[in-house]
Amino acid sequence: MPDPTGEPDQTILIRVSGPDRPGVTAQLMALLARIGAVLDDVEQVVIRRHLTLGLVARVPLGTDLSRLHDLGEANGLSVEVEAAASTPTERALGTVVTVLAPIVGPDDLGAIAGAVAAAGGNIDRIIRLSKYPVTSYELTVLGTPIDTLRPGLLGVARDRSIDVAIQPDGLGRRSQRLVVLDVDSTLIQNEVIDLLADEAGCGDAVSVITAQAMAGELDFEAALRARVMLLAGLDVAALDRVRERVELTPGARTFVRTLHRMGFRVAIVSGGFTFVTDDLAERLGVDHTAANELEIVDGRLTGKVVGGVVDRQRKAVVLREVAALEGISVDQTVAIGDGANDLDMLAAAGLGVAFNAKPIVRDQADAAVNVPYLDAILFVLGVRRSEVEDADARDGLSPDEIRAPI
């Protein structure tokens, strides 16, 4: 591209590395301005106070570039300058690959990089998102379609027991505004029907029906109604005891709190029961809920459900209804669940996340997270742990509260 003044120019690549210190970038930019440079591209990263800076610039032909080296020597930096292609750097949208595990070692990242290369892709950028409560990295991959990348990366995830989330880059990923969560074994650690069966003394019978449903002998609605029927006659006071036994999944409070800070809306949709979801909504500040209502007459359960059942199909419908109510495109939604009855909801969402899920769900979801911390899903959304902790500190949480997996 010719210089606006009509003078011929040359394109150069400048690589700067060494100890970082305040003012280095400012000095370099001031020098480039003095010599009449036009910037085409800039990338800078600082790791443990070590600066790596790359620039592509156009300068008038014949410019004395020794001043760049002098600037480096004055600041204890290495400055390399070489001719570069004049073609502007293209910033094509690629694929975002999030890798997370209790520990992500160099062998794990090496295997991921190998799978990317085998699929014809190139890693454009890697950043670390967290080292607590899990280690996670985000990679931007260019040069190959997402469907070509996926099989090899999922194979690495299976072989190495690490989690890999694969999603297209772009504005849609940055504007997901509604998160819809399953409840039992997702937002909470329990299965509420099992807690109720324990109170009613029919745990074994409920387990048999659950096994039939998992074997495909009963659909979700038939299995739910059959199990609820076994609860007939249970005193309503048992519901309070069950509520007290419900345990949030580690990281649940941090997850919901952070989503709200980001301006997200949060909904919970459950094949369980309203007496639990209503309590959770109040405790966590959840914006929308949907669940089954147990019929109660004269202070005892009748063994029936009031109205229709929230089943696999209904969960997907609720996601669409809440999105419409909030004025949010379905493409801007995230669904999280663990069981087969969550599959339609995960498929309907812009991003479906299998959380400690059954194999059939992991195989069909966009992303799988198999660590015991619900807030690890924030890293799949591109949130850094440092951002979460800084926000918690500004809100007055103590260091112990910030680091606690709650």
Side-chain angles (χ1 to χ4, degrees):
M1 181 182 297
D3 184 87
T5 65
E7 296 295 326
D9 61 12
Q10 60 180 326
T11 301
I12 57 172
L13 169 64
I14 307 168
R15 290 193 295 267
V16 180
S17 62
D20 188 35
R21 63 189 65 184
V24 168
T25 304
Q27 292 178 50
L28 177 60
M29 294 301 173
L31 174 56
L32 290 173
R34 287 197 299 273
I35 64 178
V38 177
L39 292 178
D40 281 346
D41 200 4
V42 180
E43 290 280 350
Q44 176 174 315
V45 64
V46 176
I47 300 177
R48 299 294 174 90
R49 300 182 180 178
H50 186 93
L51 170 70
T52 300
L53 172 62
L55 305 96
V56 176
R58 284 172 287 125
V59 298
L61 193 64
T63 297
D64 179 9
L65 300 177
S66 63
R67 284 177 284 178
L68 292 169
H69 297 286
D70 294 341
L71 175 66
E73 289 182 6
N75 287 278
L77 299 168
S78 169
V79 177
E80 300 177 16
V81 183
E82 63 183 66
S86 60
T87 304
T89 303
E90 295 292 336
R91 285 294 174 198
L93 293 179
T95 300
V96 174
V97 178
T98 309
V99 182
L100 52 88
I103 298 176
V104 179
D107 51 342
D108 298 317
L109 283 179
I112 291 291
V116 169
N122 183 61
I123 298 173
D124 183 61
R125 186 173 303 169
I126 302 176
I127 61 172
R128 192 187 71 193
L129 297 174
S130 68
K131 58 180 180 180
Y132 174 87
V134 295
T135 304
S136 62
Y137 292 90
E138 181 179 284
L139 293 70
T140 303
V141 178
L142 304 178
T144 193
I146 190 169
D147 290 339
T148 304
L149 272 176
R150 191 181 301 274
L153 290 174
L154 293 182
V156 171
R158 286 192 298 269
D159 293 344
R160 306 196 69 83
S161 297
I162 59 177
D163 293 335
V164 176
I166 308 158
Q167 53 189 310
D169 198 4
L171 288 177
R173 178 170 178 263
R174 294 168 176 80
S175 58
Q176 290 158 333
R177 308 293 294 180
L178 170 66
V179 174
V180 181
L181 296 107
D182 173 46
V183 176
D184 291 24
S185 297
T186 300
L187 183 64
I188 65 175
Q189 299 179 63
N190 319 86
E191 291 287 334
V192 172
I193 190 68
D194 292 339
L195 298 180
L196 288 168
D198 185 45
E199 290 285 341
C202 59
D204 291 342
V206 163
S207 295
V208 169
I209 297 173
T210 300
Q212 289 176 324
M214 292 182 66
E217 299 169 9
L218 290 173
D219 66 16
F220 180 85
E221 179 173 352
L224 179 72
R225 292 188 183 279
R227 287 177 288 184
V228 170
M229 185 60 69
L230 294 171
L231 305 176
L234 183 63
D235 191 290
V236 71
L239 304 189
D240 292 331
R241 294 193 294 271
V242 166
R243 268 193 294 261
E244 292 175 358
R245 294 173 63 186
V246 167
E247 297 182 71
L248 290 171
T249 298
R253 290 185 184 277
T254 301
F255 185 55
V256 175
R257 182 172 65 242
T258 303
L259 290 175
H260 279 143
R261 285 194 185 114
M262 296 165 62
F264 281 49
R265 306 296 280 174
V266 180
I268 55 178
V269 55
S270 175
F273 307 104
T274 55
F275 80 94
V276 169
T277 57
D278 290 347
D279 180 64
L280 290 170
E282 183 176 351
R283 291 165 59 188
L284 299 174
V286 169
D287 304 296
H288 302 274
T289 67
N292 301 301
E293 183 179 354
L294 294 169
E295 185 179 68
I296 300 172
V297 176
D298 296 330
R300 294 188 178 276
L301 303 190
T302 66
K304 298 179 181 179
V305 174
V306 178
V309 167
V310 177
D311 58 6
R312 173 173 171 168
Q313 292 77 25
R314 180 61 186 160
K315 285 189 170 188
V317 170
V318 169
L319 180 143
R320 295 188 182 97
E321 289 178 345
V322 173
L325 182 65
E326 293 286 356
I328 295 170
S329 167
V330 172
D331 290 341
Q332 294 175 282
T333 64
V334 179
I336 304 164
D338 73 298
N341 64 324
D342 297 313
L343 281 171
D344 287 6
M345 178 176 74
L346 299 186
L351 175 67
V353 181
F355 180 69
N356 293 317
K358 313 299 185 293
I360 188 175
V361 183
R362 291 200 304 268
D363 291 344
Q364 296 186 42
D366 300 310
V369 174
N370 296 294
V371 296
Y373 309 105
L374 190 62
D375 56 337
I377 295 173
L378 291 170
F379 309 138
V380 176
L381 303 181
V383 179
R384 299 187 191 217
R385 179 67 193 185
S386 58
E387 295 171 323
V388 176
E389 294 187 359
D390 288 347
D392 283 342
R394 287 195 300 271
D395 283 352
L397 274 67
S398 70
D400 288 343
E401 289 174 315
I402 291 172
R403 302 291 286 182
I406 61 173

Short mmCIF file of all heavy atoms in Angstrom, two decimals, residues 50-76:
data_model
loop_
_atom_site.label_atom_id
_atom_site.label_comp_id
_atom_site.label_asym_id
_atom_site.label_seq_id
_atom_site.Cartn_x
_atom_site.Cartn_y
_atom_site.Cartn_z
N HIS A 50 7.60 -10.46 32.02
CA HIS A 50 8.44 -10.55 30.82
C HIS A 50 7.59 -10.15 29.62
O HIS A 50 6.54 -10.73 29.36
CB HIS A 50 8.98 -11.96 30.62
CG HIS A 50 9.96 -12.06 29.47
ND1 HIS A 50 11.32 -11.94 29.64
CD2 HIS A 50 9.75 -12.24 28.14
CE1 HIS A 50 11.92 -12.06 28.47
NE2 HIS A 50 10.99 -12.24 27.54
N LEU A 51 8.02 -9.14 28.91
CA LEU A 51 7.27 -8.57 27.81
C LEU A 51 7.59 -9.28 26.50
O LEU A 51 8.76 -9.52 26.18
CB LEU A 51 7.62 -7.08 27.68
CG LEU A 51 7.11 -6.35 26.43
CD1 LEU A 51 5.60 -6.19 26.50
CD2 LEU A 51 7.80 -4.99 26.30
N THR A 52 6.56 -9.59 25.74
CA THR A 52 6.71 -10.02 24.36
C THR A 52 5.76 -9.16 23.53
O THR A 52 4.55 -9.19 23.74
CB THR A 52 6.37 -11.51 24.18
OG1 THR A 52 7.24 -12.30 25.00
CG2 THR A 52 6.53 -11.92 22.72
N LEU A 53 6.33 -8.37 22.62
CA LEU A 53 5.54 -7.43 21.84
C LEU A 53 5.90 -7.59 20.37
O LEU A 53 7.07 -7.59 20.01
CB LEU A 53 5.83 -5.99 22.31
CG LEU A 53 5.25 -4.83 21.50
CD1 LEU A 53 3.73 -4.87 21.49
CD2 LEU A 53 5.74 -3.50 22.07
N GLY A 54 4.87 -7.72 19.54
CA GLY A 54 5.09 -7.82 18.10
C GLY A 54 4.29 -6.76 17.37
O GLY A 54 3.13 -6.51 17.71
N LEU A 55 4.90 -6.10 16.39
CA LEU A 55 4.23 -5.07 15.61
C LEU A 55 4.55 -5.25 14.12
O LEU A 55 5.68 -5.62 13.77
CB LEU A 55 4.68 -3.66 16.00
CG LEU A 55 4.57 -3.21 17.45
CD1 LEU A 55 5.90 -3.41 18.16
CD2 LEU A 55 4.19 -1.72 17.50
N VAL A 56 3.56 -4.99 13.30
CA VAL A 56 3.79 -4.86 11.87
C VAL A 56 3.50 -3.40 11.51
O VAL A 56 2.43 -2.87 11.85
CB VAL A 56 2.89 -5.80 11.06
CG1 VAL A 56 3.09 -5.56 9.55
CG2 VAL A 56 3.20 -7.25 11.39
N ALA A 57 4.45 -2.75 10.87
CA ALA A 57 4.30 -1.33 10.57
C ALA A 57 4.84 -1.03 9.17
O ALA A 57 5.70 -1.75 8.65
CB ALA A 57 5.03 -0.48 11.60
N ARG A 58 4.32 0.05 8.60
CA ARG A 58 4.84 0.55 7.33
C ARG A 58 5.61 1.85 7.61
O ARG A 58 5.08 2.74 8.27
CB ARG A 58 3.70 0.80 6.35
CG ARG A 58 3.13 -0.48 5.75
CD ARG A 58 1.87 -0.23 4.93
NE ARG A 58 0.73 0.08 5.80
CZ ARG A 58 -0.01 1.17 5.66
NH1 ARG A 58 0.29 2.07 4.74
NH2 ARG A 58 -1.04 1.37 6.46
N VAL A 59 6.83 1.90 7.14
CA VAL A 59 7.68 3.08 7.36
C VAL A 59 8.22 3.55 6.02
O VAL A 59 8.34 2.77 5.07
CB VAL A 59 8.84 2.77 8.32
CG1 VAL A 59 8.31 2.35 9.69
CG2 VAL A 59 9.75 1.68 7.75
N PRO A 60 8.55 4.84 5.92
CA PRO A 60 9.12 5.34 4.66
C PRO A 60 10.39 4.57 4.28
O PRO A 60 11.22 4.25 5.13
CB PRO A 60 9.43 6.80 4.97
CG PRO A 60 8.46 7.16 6.07
CD PRO A 60 8.34 5.93 6.89
N LEU A 61 10.50 4.27 3.02
CA LEU A 61 11.66 3.55 2.52
C LEU A 61 12.93 4.32 2.84
O LEU A 61 13.00 5.54 2.68
CB LEU A 61 11.54 3.35 1.01
CG LEU A 61 12.50 2.35 0.36
CD1 LEU A 61 12.23 0.95 0.90
CD2 LEU A 61 12.33 2.37 -1.16
N GLY A 62 13.93 3.61 3.38
CA GLY A 62 15.18 4.24 3.72
C GLY A 62 15.24 4.78 5.14
O GLY A 62 16.24 5.40 5.53
N THR A 63 14.17 4.54 5.93
CA THR A 63 14.16 5.02 7.32
C THR A 63 15.29 4.37 8.11
O THR A 63 15.55 3.16 7.98
CB THR A 63 12.81 4.69 8.00
OG1 THR A 63 11.77 5.38 7.30
CG2 THR A 63 12.80 5.10 9.45
N ASP A 64 15.96 5.16 8.94
CA ASP A 64 17.01 4.64 9.81
C ASP A 64 16.33 3.88 10.96
O ASP A 64 15.70 4.49 11.83
CB ASP A 64 17.85 5.79 10.35
CG ASP A 64 18.95 5.30 11.29
OD1 ASP A 64 19.17 4.07 11.38
OD2 ASP A 64 19.58 6.17 11.95
N LEU A 65 16.45 2.55 10.94
CA LEU A 65 15.78 1.72 11.95
C LEU A 65 16.68 1.44 13.14
O LEU A 65 16.25 0.75 14.08
CB LEU A 65 15.33 0.40 11.31
CG LEU A 65 14.35 0.55 10.14
CD1 LEU A 65 14.02 -0.82 9.54
CD2 LEU A 65 13.08 1.26 10.58
N SER A 66 17.90 1.97 13.13
CA SER A 66 18.81 1.69 14.25
C SER A 66 18.28 2.28 15.56
O SER A 66 18.63 1.81 16.65
CB SER A 66 20.21 2.24 13.96
OG SER A 66 20.18 3.66 13.84
N ARG A 67 17.43 3.31 15.43
CA ARG A 67 16.89 3.92 16.65
C ARG A 67 16.01 2.93 17.43
O ARG A 67 15.87 3.05 18.64
CB ARG A 67 16.09 5.18 16.28
CG ARG A 67 16.97 6.38 15.94
CD ARG A 67 16.15 7.57 15.51
NE ARG A 67 15.64 7.41 14.15
CZ ARG A 67 14.84 8.30 13.55
NH1 ARG A 67 14.49 9.41 14.20
NH2 ARG A 67 14.43 8.11 12.32
N LEU A 68 15.44 1.98 16.73
CA LEU A 68 14.65 0.94 17.41
C LEU A 68 15.56 0.08 18.28
O LEU A 68 15.22 -0.25 19.43
CB LEU A 68 13.91 0.09 16.39
CG LEU A 68 12.78 0.78 15.62
CD1 LEU A 68 12.32 -0.08 14.45
CD2 LEU A 68 11.61 1.07 16.55
N HIS A 69 16.71 -0.28 17.74
CA HIS A 69 17.67 -1.07 18.52
C HIS A 69 18.21 -0.25 19.70
O HIS A 69 18.41 -0.79 20.81
CB HIS A 69 18.82 -1.54 17.64
CG HIS A 69 18.38 -2.46 16.54
ND1 HIS A 69 18.02 -3.77 16.76
CD2 HIS A 69 18.24 -2.24 15.21
CE1 HIS A 69 17.68 -4.33 15.61
NE2 HIS A 69 17.81 -3.42 14.64
N ASP A 70 18.45 1.06 19.47
CA ASP A 70 18.93 1.92 20.56
C ASP A 70 17.91 1.98 21.69
O ASP A 70 18.29 1.94 22.87
CB ASP A 70 19.19 3.34 20.04
CG ASP A 70 20.33 3.39 19.04
OD1 ASP A 70 21.15 2.44 19.01
OD2 ASP A 70 20.41 4.38 18.26
N LEU A 71 16.63 2.05 21.34
CA LEU A 71 15.58 2.07 22.35
C LEU A 71 15.60 0.78 23.16
O LEU A 71 15.46 0.79 24.39
CB LEU A 71 14.21 2.25 21.69
CG LEU A 71 12.99 2.18 22.61
CD1 LEU A 71 12.98 3.34 23.59
CD2 LEU A 71 11.70 2.18 21.79
N GLY A 72 15.82 -0.35 22.46
CA GLY A 72 15.88 -1.62 23.17
C GLY A 72 17.05 -1.68 24.14
O GLY A 72 16.89 -2.09 25.30
N GLU A 73 18.21 -1.25 23.70
CA GLU A 73 19.39 -1.28 24.57
C GLU A 73 19.20 -0.40 25.80
O GLU A 73 19.61 -0.74 26.91
CB GLU A 73 20.62 -0.84 23.78
CG GLU A 73 21.08 -1.85 22.74
CD GLU A 73 22.33 -1.40 22.01
OE1 GLU A 73 22.90 -0.35 22.40
OE2 GLU A 73 22.76 -2.08 21.05
N ALA A 74 18.55 0.74 25.61
CA ALA A 74 18.34 1.67 26.73
C ALA A 74 17.42 1.09 27.80
O ALA A 74 17.48 1.49 28.96
CB ALA A 74 17.77 2.99 26.21
N ASN A 75 16.59 0.13 27.38
CA ASN A 75 15.62 -0.45 28.32
C ASN A 75 15.92 -1.92 28.65
O ASN A 75 15.10 -2.58 29.27
CB ASN A 75 14.21 -0.35 27.74
CG ASN A 75 13.67 1.06 27.76
OD1 ASN A 75 13.17 1.53 28.77
ND2 ASN A 75 13.78 1.75 26.62
N GLY A 76 17.08 -2.41 28.22
CA GLY A 76 17.43 -3.80 28.50
C GLY A 76 16.58 -4.79 27.75
O GLY A 76 16.31 -5.89 28.25
#
